[in-house]
Amino acid sequence: MKPIFPLILTSSILLFSESTFAEHVTIAAAADLKFAMDEIVTSFEQSHPSDHVQVIYGSSGKFHTQIQQGAPYDLYFSADIAFPRQLAEAGFAASAVKPYALGRIVLWSADKDASQMTLNRLTDPAISRIAIANPKHAPYGKRAEEALKASGLWEKVEPKLVYGENIAHTAQFVQSGNAQVGIIALSLAVNPELAKKGGYWLIPDTLHEPLEQGYIITKRATDNPVAKAFANYMDSPGARTVMTKYGFVLPDTSVSK
């Protein structure tokens, strides 16, 4: 089975040597945004034909570290709003921290009907490998861990767990058959390529802390008008429609933190 995430980047391998021009921005984005952000960027570039946006997808926690080390990102979209808040407090931001969505986690499988599962099903001896994102640096992995612990299942399933570098890498584990089921982002499960393989089971958000997500314009992009234009575009009706399509719960556009 051909993976649908071949271009997800999970480390600091794309540090660019080219000069940064006003017409170009580089976004570091949480991997749960892969499909939604690709659509939003395409729409933005159609309405801003002289501007170019490059997106690197990966772990929010790793991007947080890379930005502090000087990685050339102009905007940072994190699956955990705490990371951009920390960067803003440390002087790495050129904007206020803006909430952009709440994420949700689901059970998903490439060869089972996950819509008929619950977390308790993960204790089934027939399920030997369960994929989650690494809780040490991936917000979706941390929420998966919280949900399993709140359900009293963590100790029972921990020996079965395999860890993805980010949530898209986690979905790829399941898609490739290296795990029979995974706890992944709703925004990935509703993508047509994954949705056609079966349903998903939405994990109750009462079992974990909210996946409040937020972004900043980085200090590097202080004078970059395209970075500001893209940030504004995220509040446009078109961008919000795309985010909703992929299962994100959106904040009121008047709310800013």
Side-chain angles (χ1 to χ4, degrees):
M1 184 182 299
K2 184 179 179 181
I4 64 172
F5 303 106
L7 299 180
I8 296 293
L9 303 176
T10 60
S11 63
S12 56
I13 60 173
L14 265 182
L15 298 183
F16 303 96
S17 59
E18 72 263 26
S19 299
T20 301
F21 299 99
E23 298 83 4
H24 177 92
V25 293
T26 302
I27 298 174
D32 67 319
L33 281 169
K34 166 63 182 169
F35 301 111
M37 186 65 80
D38 280 356
E39 287 193 24
I40 291 170
V41 166
T42 296
S43 178
F44 174 81
E45 290 185 334
Q46 288 173 347
S47 60
H48 297 73
S50 64
D51 299 336
H52 176 65
V53 178
Q54 181 163 15
V55 187
I56 302 173
Y57 299 98
S59 160
S60 296
K62 288 192 173 182
F63 285 141
H64 173 259
T65 299
Q66 292 169 16
I67 290 170
Q68 294 176 82
Q69 295 172 344
Y73 305 132
D74 301 297
L75 295 106
Y76 168 47
F77 286 77
S78 171
D80 185 344
I81 200 170
F83 287 135
R85 283 176 175 161
Q86 291 167 9
L87 291 176
E89 290 171 0
F92 290 96
S95 71
V97 179
K98 181 70 178 288
Y100 65 84
L102 289 176
R104 296 295 303 273
I105 54 176
V106 302
L107 284 180
W108 181 76
S109 174
D111 57 10
K112 304 178 187 299
D113 184 3
S115 68
Q116 302 302 310
M117 294 182 179
T118 67
L119 289 177
N120 286 325
R121 176 72 183 280
L122 300 180
T123 62
D124 187 333
I127 296 177
S128 59
R129 296 181 306 280
I130 303 162
I132 70 171
N134 191 327
K136 292 182 179 179
H137 53 72
Y140 276 91
K142 183 63 177 175
R143 298 302 180 263
E145 178 183 19
E146 291 169 358
L148 291 168
K149 288 182 175 178
S151 301
L153 300 172
W154 179 258
E155 292 183 356
K156 297 177 182 178
V157 304
E158 187 177 13
K160 304 181 181 185
L161 297 178
V162 293
Y163 298 99
E165 282 294 299
N166 54 59
I167 199 59
H169 188 217
T170 304
Q172 188 174 337
F173 270 144
V174 186
Q175 186 201 12
S176 65
N178 288 317
Q180 294 143 303
V181 65
I183 298 178
I184 69 170
L186 173 61
S187 61
L188 301 183
V190 298
N191 174 267
E193 286 298 315
L194 271 62
K196 70 182 181 183
K197 300 181 185 305
Y200 60 83
W201 184 69
L202 187 65
I203 295 173
D205 58 8
T206 54
L207 295 177
H208 59 81
E209 292 296 315
L211 265 163
E212 186 180 11
Q213 310 191 4
Y215 74 87
I216 54 170
I217 299 172
T218 67
K219 186 176 181 180
R220 175 180 185 266
T222 299
D223 298 319
N224 190 325
V226 180
K228 295 179 176 63
F230 189 85
N232 291 334
Y233 191 77
M234 287 298 298
D235 283 337
S236 70
R240 289 173 65 83
T241 297
V242 171
M243 292 290 286
T244 301
K245 180 175 80 169
Y246 284 98
F248 290 104
V249 179
L250 304 187
D252 189 294
T253 55
S254 65
V255 175
S256 180
K257 297 184 180 181

